Amino acid sequence: MTANVVNLVTSGVFELDGGSWDVDNNVWLIGDEHEVIVIDAAHDADAIEKAVGGRTLRAIVSTHGHNDHVNAAPELARRTGAPILLHPDDRVVWDLTHPGRAPDGELRDQQVLSVAGTELTVLHTPGHAPGAVCLHAPSLGVVFTGDTLFNGGPGATGRSYSDYPTIVKSIQDKLFALPDETTVHTGHGEGTTIGAEREASSGWEKP
């Protein structure tokens, strides 16, 4: 049976460089009636645990370490026993929120995670954060982009540990290599497609 994708929106505060902003985050659950993976455990461990239900939580995957994408991860891991996975290049960001609690495992480029008979390939896409990753599920025709690519262009790069030329290169090299019809499930807001963002990219600021 092919896995299905469920979106849960949670709300809280993003904090970095001394500033704070109210945000709504997309939490993604990929699985079937038996097992599931959570992408970006944001803000509300209670709501995420309820969405998981009685299923086995195979992993809590963090697309990057900003607090609004990981602040509920340790509590969700404690309740479920699931490992938290993060690219090692993003420990510098993760440690701003959870200095006393390391992730349980590392993500690497081209690593394949499996859940409910569905494979998700990890794509290291630095720029928004040094260890940012996306997850491509070709059998579902989707890619989960965290804050790397949005409906309307690249993620923000105006704060610490981010870089605009790097994020543009990541998108061009890794994400624009995917089929145009691939649905983009983002970390915030509405989704898009690879084709739509590729077409719009001609208007992006040049690195």
Side-chain angles (χ1 to χ4, degrees), residues 96-118:
L96 296 173
T97 303
H98 302 301
R101 205 293 191 190
D104 302 296
E106 295 185 350
L107 298 170
R108 64 184 184 277
D109 191 50
Q110 299 303 313
Q111 177 181 356
V112 177
L113 306 176
S114 296
V115 63
T118 297

PDB file of all heavy atoms in Angstrom, residues 96-118:
ATOM      1  N   LEU A  96      20.980  26.241  19.214  1.00  0.00           N
ATOM      2  CA  LEU A  96      20.412  27.482  19.726  1.00  0.00           C
ATOM      3  C   LEU A  96      19.122  27.226  20.493  1.00  0.00           C
ATOM      4  O   LEU A  96      18.771  27.972  21.416  1.00  0.00           O
ATOM      5  CB  LEU A  96      20.133  28.459  18.576  1.00  0.00           C
ATOM      6  CG  LEU A  96      21.341  28.956  17.782  1.00  0.00           C
ATOM      7  CD1 LEU A  96      20.878  29.775  16.573  1.00  0.00           C
ATOM      8  CD2 LEU A  96      22.283  29.758  18.661  1.00  0.00           C
ATOM      9  N   THR A  97      18.394  26.169  20.108  1.00  0.00           N
ATOM     10  CA  THR A  97      17.115  25.826  20.750  1.00  0.00           C
ATOM     11  C   THR A  97      17.262  24.707  21.756  1.00  0.00           C
ATOM     12  O   THR A  97      16.664  24.737  22.834  1.00  0.00           O
ATOM     13  CB  THR A  97      16.085  25.428  19.678  1.00  0.00           C
ATOM     14  OG1 THR A  97      15.935  26.498  18.753  1.00  0.00           O
ATOM     15  CG2 THR A  97      14.729  25.111  20.303  1.00  0.00           C
ATOM     16  N   HIS A  98      18.065  23.711  21.426  1.00  0.00           N
ATOM     17  CA  HIS A  98      18.187  22.517  22.272  1.00  0.00           C
ATOM     18  C   HIS A  98      19.658  22.240  22.600  1.00  0.00           C
ATOM     19  O   HIS A  98      20.209  21.206  22.192  1.00  0.00           O
ATOM     20  CB  HIS A  98      17.580  21.301  21.572  1.00  0.00           C
ATOM     21  CG  HIS A  98      16.134  21.453  21.205  1.00  0.00           C
ATOM     22  ND1 HIS A  98      15.149  21.692  22.135  1.00  0.00           N
ATOM     23  CD2 HIS A  98      15.495  21.384  20.004  1.00  0.00           C
ATOM     24  CE1 HIS A  98      13.966  21.766  21.532  1.00  0.00           C
ATOM     25  NE2 HIS A  98      14.155  21.579  20.239  1.00  0.00           N
ATOM     26  N   PRO A  99      20.325  23.128  23.325  1.00  0.00           N
ATOM     27  CA  PRO A  99      21.752  22.939  23.577  1.00  0.00           C
ATOM     28  C   PRO A  99      22.082  21.694  24.388  1.00  0.00           C
ATOM     29  O   PRO A  99      23.189  21.162  24.281  1.00  0.00           O
ATOM     30  CB  PRO A  99      22.145  24.214  24.336  1.00  0.00           C
ATOM     31  CG  PRO A  99      20.870  24.716  24.940  1.00  0.00           C
ATOM     32  CD  PRO A  99      19.798  24.363  23.950  1.00  0.00           C
ATOM     33  N   GLY A 100      21.136  21.208  25.165  1.00  0.00           N
ATOM     34  CA  GLY A 100      21.406  20.043  26.000  1.00  0.00           C
ATOM     35  C   GLY A 100      20.859  18.746  25.455  1.00  0.00           C
ATOM     36  O   GLY A 100      20.912  17.714  26.146  1.00  0.00           O
ATOM     37  N   ARG A 101      20.340  18.767  24.215  1.00  0.00           N
ATOM     38  CA  ARG A 101      19.688  17.560  23.684  1.00  0.00           C
ATOM     39  C   ARG A 101      20.092  17.394  22.222  1.00  0.00           C
ATOM     40  O   ARG A 101      19.577  18.081  21.343  1.00  0.00           O
ATOM     41  CB  ARG A 101      18.180  17.702  23.806  1.00  0.00           C
ATOM     42  CG  ARG A 101      17.358  16.407  23.867  1.00  0.00           C
ATOM     43  CD  ARG A 101      17.368  15.606  22.603  1.00  0.00           C
ATOM     44  NE  ARG A 101      16.378  14.526  22.629  1.00  0.00           N
ATOM     45  CZ  ARG A 101      16.309  13.564  21.741  1.00  0.00           C
ATOM     46  NH1 ARG A 101      17.192  13.534  20.731  1.00  0.00           N
ATOM     47  NH2 ARG A 101      15.381  12.640  21.832  1.00  0.00           N
ATOM     48  N   ALA A 102      21.002  16.498  21.948  1.00  0.00           N
ATOM     49  CA  ALA A 102      21.446  16.267  20.582  1.00  0.00           C
ATOM     50  C   ALA A 102      20.404  15.471  19.798  1.00  0.00           C
ATOM     51  O   ALA A 102      19.637  14.696  20.387  1.00  0.00           O
ATOM     52  CB  ALA A 102      22.766  15.510  20.568  1.00  0.00           C
ATOM     53  N   PRO A 103      20.351  15.637  18.480  1.00  0.00           N
ATOM     54  CA  PRO A 103      19.531  14.734  17.658  1.00  0.00           C
ATOM     55  C   PRO A 103      20.013  13.294  17.821  1.00  0.00           C
ATOM     56  O   PRO A 103      21.134  13.041  18.282  1.00  0.00           O
ATOM     57  CB  PRO A 103      19.757  15.240  16.230  1.00  0.00           C
ATOM     58  CG  PRO A 103      20.253  16.642  16.396  1.00  0.00           C
ATOM     59  CD  PRO A 103      21.026  16.660  17.671  1.00  0.00           C
ATOM     60  N   ASP A 104      19.171  12.358  17.421  1.00  0.00           N
ATOM     61  CA  ASP A 104      19.492  10.936  17.594  1.00  0.00           C
ATOM     62  C   ASP A 104      20.211  10.332  16.404  1.00  0.00           C
ATOM     63  O   ASP A 104      20.821   9.264  16.516  1.00  0.00           O
ATOM     64  CB  ASP A 104      18.201  10.151  17.857  1.00  0.00           C
ATOM     65  CG  ASP A 104      17.469  10.675  19.070  1.00  0.00           C
ATOM     66  OD1 ASP A 104      18.020  10.592  20.176  1.00  0.00           O
ATOM     67  OD2 ASP A 104      16.349  11.197  18.901  1.00  0.00           O
ATOM     68  N   GLY A 105      20.121  10.972  15.256  1.00  0.00           N
ATOM     69  CA  GLY A 105      20.754  10.429  14.060  1.00  0.00           C
ATOM     70  C   GLY A 105      20.991  11.523  13.048  1.00  0.00           C
ATOM     71  O   GLY A 105      20.431  12.626  13.151  1.00  0.00           O
ATOM     72  N   GLU A 106      21.841  11.224  12.069  1.00  0.00           N
ATOM     73  CA  GLU A 106      22.218  12.204  11.063  1.00  0.00           C
ATOM     74  C   GLU A 106      21.584  11.895   9.714  1.00  0.00           C
ATOM     75  O   GLU A 106      21.466  10.723   9.336  1.00  0.00           O
ATOM     76  CB  GLU A 106      23.742  12.242  10.910  1.00  0.00           C
ATOM     77  CG  GLU A 106      24.460  12.735  12.152  1.00  0.00           C
ATOM     78  CD  GLU A 106      25.953  12.876  11.933  1.00  0.00           C
ATOM     79  OE1 GLU A 106      26.457  12.419  10.879  1.00  0.00           O
ATOM     80  OE2 GLU A 106      26.620  13.453  12.816  1.00  0.00           O
ATOM     81  N   LEU A 107      21.203  12.945   9.016  1.00  0.00           N
ATOM     82  CA  LEU A 107      20.764  12.847   7.635  1.00  0.00           C
ATOM     83  C   LEU A 107      21.944  13.162   6.720  1.00  0.00           C
ATOM     84  O   LEU A 107      22.784  13.988   7.054  1.00  0.00           O
ATOM     85  CB  LEU A 107      19.633  13.837   7.355  1.00  0.00           C
ATOM     86  CG  LEU A 107      18.347  13.652   8.151  1.00  0.00           C
ATOM     87  CD1 LEU A 107      17.423  14.845   7.943  1.00  0.00           C
ATOM     88  CD2 LEU A 107      17.643  12.347   7.786  1.00  0.00           C
ATOM     89  N   ARG A 108      21.987  12.522   5.564  1.00  0.00           N
ATOM     90  CA  ARG A 108      23.047  12.809   4.592  1.00  0.00           C
ATOM     91  C   ARG A 108      22.439  12.857   3.196  1.00  0.00           C
ATOM     92  O   ARG A 108      21.392  12.243   2.935  1.00  0.00           O
ATOM     93  CB  ARG A 108      24.152  11.757   4.651  1.00  0.00           C
ATOM     94  CG  ARG A 108      23.698  10.359   4.271  1.00  0.00           C
ATOM     95  CD  ARG A 108      24.795   9.325   4.425  1.00  0.00           C
ATOM     96  NE  ARG A 108      24.342   8.016   3.966  1.00  0.00           N
ATOM     97  CZ  ARG A 108      23.641   7.160   4.700  1.00  0.00           C
ATOM     98  NH1 ARG A 108      23.312   7.489   5.944  1.00  0.00           N
ATOM     99  NH2 ARG A 108      23.272   5.999   4.201  1.00  0.00           N
ATOM    100  N   ASP A 109      23.107  13.581   2.314  1.00  0.00           N
ATOM    101  CA  ASP A 109      22.620  13.722   0.945  1.00  0.00           C
ATOM    102  C   ASP A 109      22.485  12.356   0.278  1.00  0.00           C
ATOM    103  O   ASP A 109      23.374  11.507   0.377  1.00  0.00           O
ATOM    104  CB  ASP A 109      23.586  14.598   0.152  1.00  0.00           C
ATOM    105  CG  ASP A 109      23.039  15.007  -1.196  1.00  0.00           C
ATOM    106  OD1 ASP A 109      21.899  15.498  -1.237  1.00  0.00           O
ATOM    107  OD2 ASP A 109      23.750  14.837  -2.203  1.00  0.00           O
ATOM    108  N   GLN A 110      21.356  12.134  -0.367  1.00  0.00           N
ATOM    109  CA  GLN A 110      21.022  10.904  -1.104  1.00  0.00           C
ATOM    110  C   GLN A 110      20.674   9.723  -0.196  1.00  0.00           C
ATOM    111  O   GLN A 110      20.428   8.615  -0.691  1.00  0.00           O
ATOM    112  CB  GLN A 110      22.136  10.512  -2.081  1.00  0.00           C
ATOM    113  CG  GLN A 110      22.409  11.557  -3.150  1.00  0.00           C
ATOM    114  CD  GLN A 110      21.180  11.904  -3.972  1.00  0.00           C
ATOM    115  OE1 GLN A 110      20.455  11.016  -4.432  1.00  0.00           O
ATOM    116  NE2 GLN A 110      20.935  13.198  -4.162  1.00  0.00           N
ATOM    117  N   GLN A 111      20.640   9.949   1.102  1.00  0.00           N
ATOM    118  CA  GLN A 111      20.143   8.910   2.009  1.00  0.00           C
ATOM    119  C   GLN A 111      18.682   8.620   1.683  1.00  0.00           C
ATOM    120  O   GLN A 111      17.927   9.528   1.323  1.00  0.00           O
ATOM    121  CB  GLN A 111      20.281   9.395   3.446  1.00  0.00           C
ATOM    122  CG  GLN A 111      19.727   8.454   4.521  1.00  0.00           C
ATOM    123  CD  GLN A 111      19.891   9.056   5.911  1.00  0.00           C
ATOM    124  OE1 GLN A 111      20.475  10.133   6.060  1.00  0.00           O
ATOM    125  NE2 GLN A 111      19.380   8.381   6.910  1.00  0.00           N
ATOM    126  N   VAL A 112      18.268   7.378   1.816  1.00  0.00           N
ATOM    127  CA  VAL A 112      16.886   6.996   1.539  1.00  0.00           C
ATOM    128  C   VAL A 112      16.222   6.535   2.830  1.00  0.00           C
ATOM    129  O   VAL A 112      16.709   5.622   3.504  1.00  0.00           O
ATOM    130  CB  VAL A 112      16.809   5.890   0.470  1.00  0.00           C
ATOM    131  CG1 VAL A 112      15.352   5.450   0.265  1.00  0.00           C
ATOM    132  CG2 VAL A 112      17.400   6.376  -0.853  1.00  0.00           C
ATOM    133  N   LEU A 113      15.114   7.180   3.174  1.00  0.00           N
ATOM    134  CA  LEU A 113      14.277   6.778   4.299  1.00  0.00           C
ATOM    135  C   LEU A 113      13.060   6.054   3.748  1.00  0.00           C
ATOM    136  O   LEU A 113      12.541   6.427   2.692  1.00  0.00           O
ATOM    137  CB  LEU A 113      13.834   7.996   5.104  1.00  0.00           C
ATOM    138  CG  LEU A 113      14.929   8.938   5.600  1.00  0.00           C
ATOM    139  CD1 LEU A 113      14.315  10.144   6.294  1.00  0.00           C
ATOM    140  CD2 LEU A 113      15.886   8.220   6.530  1.00  0.00           C
ATOM    141  N   SER A 114      12.599   5.036   4.456  1.00  0.00           N
ATOM    142  CA  SER A 114      11.445   4.255   3.986  1.00  0.00           C
ATOM    143  C   SER A 114      10.361   4.240   5.047  1.00  0.00           C
ATOM    144  O   SER A 114      10.645   4.078   6.245  1.00  0.00           O
ATOM    145  CB  SER A 114      11.866   2.815   3.663  1.00  0.00           C
ATOM    146  OG  SER A 114      12.793   2.789   2.597  1.00  0.00           O
ATOM    147  N   VAL A 115       9.123   4.403   4.594  1.00  0.00           N
ATOM    148  CA  VAL A 115       7.974   4.283   5.477  1.00  0.00           C
ATOM    149  C   VAL A 115       6.791   3.812   4.649  1.00  0.00           C
ATOM    150  O   VAL A 115       6.558   4.304   3.540  1.00  0.00           O
ATOM    151  CB  VAL A 115       7.657   5.626   6.184  1.00  0.00           C
ATOM    152  CG1 VAL A 115       7.263   6.709   5.193  1.00  0.00           C
ATOM    153  CG2 VAL A 115       6.588   5.434   7.251  1.00  0.00           C
ATOM    154  N   ALA A 116       6.086   2.832   5.162  1.00  0.00           N
ATOM    155  CA  ALA A 116       4.869   2.339   4.504  1.00  0.00           C
ATOM    156  C   ALA A 116       5.099   2.012   3.030  1.00  0.00           C
ATOM    157  O   ALA A 116       4.270   2.316   2.172  1.00  0.00           O
ATOM    158  CB  ALA A 116       3.742   3.359   4.657  1.00  0.00           C
ATOM    159  N   GLY A 117       6.233   1.407   2.724  1.00  0.00           N
ATOM    160  CA  GLY A 117       6.539   1.018   1.355  1.00  0.00           C
ATOM    161  C   GLY A 117       6.906   2.162   0.440  1.00  0.00           C
ATOM    162  O   GLY A 117       6.998   1.984  -0.773  1.00  0.00           O
ATOM    163  N   THR A 118       7.141   3.335   0.999  1.00  0.00           N
ATOM    164  CA  THR A 118       7.457   4.523   0.209  1.00  0.00           C
ATOM    165  C   THR A 118       8.848   5.017   0.575  1.00  0.00           C
ATOM    166  O   THR A 118       9.197   5.104   1.754  1.00  0.00           O
ATOM    167  CB  THR A 118       6.426   5.631   0.473  1.00  0.00           C
ATOM    168  OG1 THR A 118       5.134   5.161   0.045  1.00  0.00           O
ATOM    169  CG2 THR A 118       6.776   6.899  -0.276  1.00  0.00           C
TER     170      THR A 118
END
